[in-house]
Amino acid sequence: MTTESMLANPAFKPLRDGITVARRNLIKIKRVPDLLVFTTLSPIMFVLLFAYVFGSAIDVPGVSYREYLMAGIFTQTMLFGSTLTGYGLAEDIQKGIVDRFRSLPMARSALLVGRTTSDLVNNVIVIIVMSVTGLIVGWRIHSSPLEALGGFALLLLFAYAFSWVFAVVGLSVRSPEVVNNASFIFIFPLTFIANTFVGVTDLPGPLKAFAEWNPVSAVTQAARDLFGNTNPAVPQPDAWPLRHPVFTSLAWVVVLLIVSVPLAVNRYKKAASR
Amino acid sequence: MMEIAIEAEGLVKKYGAVVALDGFDLSVPQGTVMGLLGPNGAGKTTAVRVFTTLLKPDAGRARVAGLDVVADARRLRGLIGLSGQYAAVDEHLTGFENLDMVGRLYGFTAKASRERARALLARFDLEDAADRPVKGYSGGMRRRLDLAGALVAQPPVLFLDEPTTGLDPRSRLGMWDVISELVAAGSTLLLTTQYLEEADHLASRIAVIDHGKVIALGTSDDLKNQVGGERLELTVSTPADIDSARAVLAPLASGEITVDEPARRVTVPVTGGASALMESLRRLDAEAVKVLDVGLRRPSLDDVFLTLTGHAAEEESS
Ligand SMILES: Nc1ncnc2c1ncn2[C@@H]1O[C@H](COP(=O)(O)OP(=O)(O)O)[C@@H](O)[C@H]1O
Ligand SMILES: [Mg+2]
């Protein structure tokens, strides 16, 4: 039998379990950097594509399109990054690792907390790489450092909330590949029926309403404001959520977490290797 | 009185229309090895999942190490080790990192967890590969690592679900040695298998499971006796010898002698084991019957399965 002296203080066990799991996932990022490379390559490609191909064709009055664009690509990339959570969990179920974890005396929350946390770290790396790319092609932050930090924090918070949404997806489907396909169904309407690449004012009725209430729009608008990538000449959105983008973004984060955390925990308890 | 380490009463588990467990009963005394033997789809994994708190039964109850698998699930997890049907090791971690992670999740201090991981790697002959990612391990090495993972906390009750499925014969023998050592060390073990010889080799008692129910229970000898006694099988060198052999051995037979003409094989039900064998050889020699091969055969567990269920163990696998 295990002796007392071998056991650590049980007080912070759930927290330590979460860290143990997160560490495991981070080792994987280190050993298989392909994942990180691909999650950063596609946003770099997006930045370059929009900056050099569409940049000259799309005109936003009063501000360089490259600057206007960055917030949108940031938001989109964060959303893509959060799908990794679902992929990773589905993979763990498929390989029987969830079964092993569930048979251990570890905190119920640890696998999910650890996974969402390591994916957050992943997103931090991605956001740094993207910022550097942006700076190279001419993106600049025109606000105070504090506001800029607020912008990055908001993007990461948004990614974290969506990690939990994709955790629910990952724990509900039968294979990691399905997570990928399922997430496209979410992500494309969310990122394109939004203010990511163009303003929403010219969209037809129902699409316009969707775009105005879309969390992606709120976060993009908030990041744009916080990075100072707008100026008074840019037509201000008239919809309420986009006039209060930081509040709306935070509200979305809270709602997404309130709904998806309990759902994910519930799915985890039932998850079986199928 | 012997303590019961694993106990199930009337377990039922349904997946839609499929009844995976259908009134499953089992009782395993402390310090013994129970082999749960059954074909693919019989319900072995489902039973193991109930015992290891991964699955709530629809009906019935189960206790492991004196704790209810549903009500005391949380406490029970500290007392069991599970090595599932598919080696649940993380490909991207090294062998050491895998075990160290499990140790920490059991609540070990960093130091205790590392020491335990190293000790297990040495014991399972994985020292050389300890710091390589599991990706490069062979099937046998992964299986051993997975088993080591189940032993991290030295749990008093162990569950091994088909520990040798998918292994080549040599790795299988290696795995048998490892498991035999565990058994000798006094762990209570529930081991599932589709291999009849494996249950025979490793388990002191065998429960035969089919369609979610235990249909026979006992030692390997009990089961063999249930199916019928021993028999003498001999192959003679010429067709003419068949009749002489039959005549010579008739007085020793405890039942009807059967003959397989093309194979020139004569099968004689006997009692008395080895002495019947010696006596028959003496008589055959005295009558100068030329014998190519002779042996005393006890029914194999395959025969057991056929007798008990009316179908061969392999028949159902899909
Ligand atoms: N998650 C599941 N969903 C649906 N059916 C299942 C599930 N798990 C097992 N079954 C079914 O239950 C029966 C018993 O399965 P299992 O316990 O895995 O058998 P064994 O381990 O003996 O091969 C099989 O018919 C199998 O198809
Ligand atoms: Mg099975």
Side-chain angles (χ1 to χ4, degrees):
Chain A
M1 277 290 333
T2 313
T3 57
E4 285 300 320
S5 65
M6 290 169 74
L7 293 180
N9 179 355
F12 299 105
K13 181 85 169 50
L15 182 65
R16 276 207 321 269
D17 288 351
I19 294 172
T20 303
V21 173
R23 217 179 45 170
R24 158 197 175 233
N25 300 335
L26 292 175
I27 292 177
K28 175 169 175 180
I29 296 183
K30 198 176 74 186
R31 299 255 159 82
V32 197
D34 320 23
L35 262 182
L36 187 63
V37 169
F38 280 109
T39 41
T40 46
L41 267 186
S42 58
I44 289 177
M45 202 184 69
F46 259 97
V47 172
L48 297 179
L49 218 80
F50 274 88
Y52 291 107
V53 181
F54 302 118
S56 44
I58 300 174
D59 200 33
V60 182
V63 59
S64 114
Y65 183 64
R66 286 181 198 171
E67 301 220 328
Y68 177 85
L69 175 77
M70 276 304 284
I73 299 182
F74 270 128
T75 313
Q76 187 190 41
T77 307
M78 290 298 98
L79 207 51
F80 271 108
S82 61
T83 63
L84 287 184
T85 304
Y87 188 87
L89 287 172
E91 199 176 48
D92 282 349
I93 293 180
Q94 199 180 44
K95 296 197 170 156
I97 289 176
V98 166
D99 267 7
R100 152 116 326 146
F101 280 147
R102 287 178 64 237
S103 75
L104 292 176
M106 68 191 262
R108 277 319 193 210
S109 58
L111 186 67
L112 297 170
V113 170
R115 170 62 67 180
T116 51
T117 307
S118 59
D119 289 338
L120 186 64
V121 173
N122 191 67
N123 266 331
V124 170
I125 301 172
V126 169
I127 228 173
I128 292 171
V129 173
M130 270 192 68
S131 301
V132 172
T133 317
L135 290 172
I136 293 172
V137 302
W139 171 65
R140 292 292 177 271
I141 295 173
H142 300 288
S143 56
S144 70
L146 205 66
E147 280 175 306
L149 269 183
F152 286 121
L154 190 72
L155 284 168
L156 290 169
L157 204 60
F158 174 70
Y160 187 75
F162 259 98
S163 264
W164 283 93
V165 174
F166 285 111
V168 177
V169 177
L171 292 167
S172 308
V173 298
R174 280 166 193 281
S175 83
E177 289 68 34
V178 179
V179 177
N180 272 356
N181 297 334
S183 36
F184 281 122
I185 301 173
F186 271 98
I187 285 185
F188 278 112
L190 276 178
T191 55
F192 283 97
I193 312 174
N195 60 355
T196 31
F197 305 114
V198 289
V200 300
T201 23
D202 295 336
L203 290 171
L207 287 186
K208 181 163 182 264
F210 181 91
E212 284 169 351
W213 287 94
N214 186 342
V216 171
S217 296
V219 174
T220 304
Q221 186 66 39
R224 221 164 253 163
D225 290 351
L226 289 167
F227 294 144
N229 294 146
T230 52
N231 82 27
V234 179
Q236 281 303 303
D238 48 4
W240 191 92
L242 297 185
R243 275 187 286 119
H244 307 90
V246 175
F247 175 84
T248 310
S249 302
L250 291 175
W252 267 115
V253 166
V254 170
V255 169
L256 288 173
L257 286 175
I258 287 179
V259 174
S260 57
V261 170
L263 268 178
V265 171
N266 189 273
R267 297 299 320 177
Y268 173 66
K269 283 189 190 148
K270 297 205 178 110
S273 51
R274 289 166 282 216
Chain B
M1 204 193 90
M2 232 180 183
E3 295 276 334
I4 300 299
I6 305 171
E7 195 178 12
E9 267 171 47
L11 288 181
V12 175
K13 180 70 201 178
K14 294 188 182 121
Y15 291 107
V18 179
V19 186
L21 290 179
D22 186 13
F24 178 86
D25 296 309
L26 195 70
S27 169
V28 184
Q30 209 169 38
T32 66
V33 183
M34 173 66 78
L36 192 55
L37 171 69
N40 213 351
K44 302 181 295 296
T45 299
T46 307
V48 168
R49 291 172 62 83
V50 169
F51 285 130
T52 51
T53 78
L54 297 179
L55 199 64
K56 280 200 182 92
D58 297 332
R61 32 174 239 120
R63 296 171 74 79
V64 174
L67 298 173
D68 188 276
V69 295
V70 178
D72 304 318
R74 199 177 270 272
R75 268 206 299 154
L76 177 56
R77 287 186 197 113
L79 299 175
I80 53 172
L82 164 67
S83 173
Q85 186 166 357
Y86 307 98
V89 287
D90 194 311
E91 300 237 298
H92 304 291
L93 302 193
T94 64
F96 171 78
E97 286 164 346
N98 263 291
L99 295 183
D100 183 39
M101 175 177 74
V102 173
R104 281 162 196 252
L105 293 174
Y106 267 112
F108 286 12
T109 62
K111 181 167 172 287
S113 170
R114 283 197 295 263
E115 282 172 4
R116 184 80 186 125
R118 290 288 171 202
L120 282 167
L121 288 163
R123 174 164 162 205
F124 285 86
D125 212 8
L126 292 167
E127 258 171 326
D128 294 341
D131 297 310
R132 290 208 308 264
V134 170
K135 222 176 170 48
Y137 283 25
S138 70
M141 289 162 79
R142 280 170 199 235
R143 263 293 176 189
R144 292 208 299 280
L145 183 65
D146 190 59
L147 180 56
L151 299 178
V152 165
Q154 290 174 280
V157 186
L158 273 174
F159 296 88
L160 308 184
D161 195 6
E162 301 200 20
T164 65
T165 298
L167 295 188
D168 58 78
R170 230 189 70 207
S171 310
R172 175 174 303 167
L173 288 181
M175 200 69 186
W176 282 11
D177 287 344
V178 168
I179 295 171
S180 302
E181 275 175 44
L182 288 179
V183 172
S187 312
T188 306
L189 192 86
L190 180 75
L191 165 116
T192 80
T193 180
Q194 294 188 46
Y195 304 114
L196 310 161
E197 50 168 338
E198 183 162 283
D200 196 5
H201 186 90
L202 295 172
S204 48
R205 284 162 67 78
I206 296 172
V208 183
I209 177 174
D210 192 36
H211 299 299
K213 257 199 283 278
V214 173
I215 53 168
L217 179 73
T219 62
S220 146
D221 283 342
D222 288 345
L223 291 177
K224 288 171 182 170
N225 288 336
Q226 207 170 325
V227 176
E230 51 210 355
R231 60 194 189 271
L232 214 58
E233 263 179 27
L234 55 130
T235 311
V236 291
S237 60
T238 64
D241 285 320
I242 293 179
D243 283 335
S244 14
R246 189 203 280 265
V248 169
L249 297 178
L252 294 177
S254 62
E256 196 186 340
I257 297 178
T258 52
V259 172
D260 181 346
E261 298 263 6
R264 296 196 300 279
R265 188 164 57 230
V266 181
T267 304
V268 187
V270 293
T271 53
S275 58
L277 178 62
M278 309 250 274
E279 181 58 25
S280 64
L281 286 177
R282 247 192 309 276
R283 292 182 184 213
L284 289 166
D285 192 41
E287 300 298 322
V289 181
K290 283 198 228 33
V291 177
L292 288 182
D293 181 46
V294 63
L296 186 66
R297 303 265 189 275
R298 315 199 69 192
S300 74
L301 287 175
D302 262 321
D303 300 327
V304 173
F305 213 90
L306 197 59
T307 312
L308 290 171
T309 65
H311 58 80
E314 277 76 15
E315 197 173 283
E316 244 181 75
S317 41
S318 45

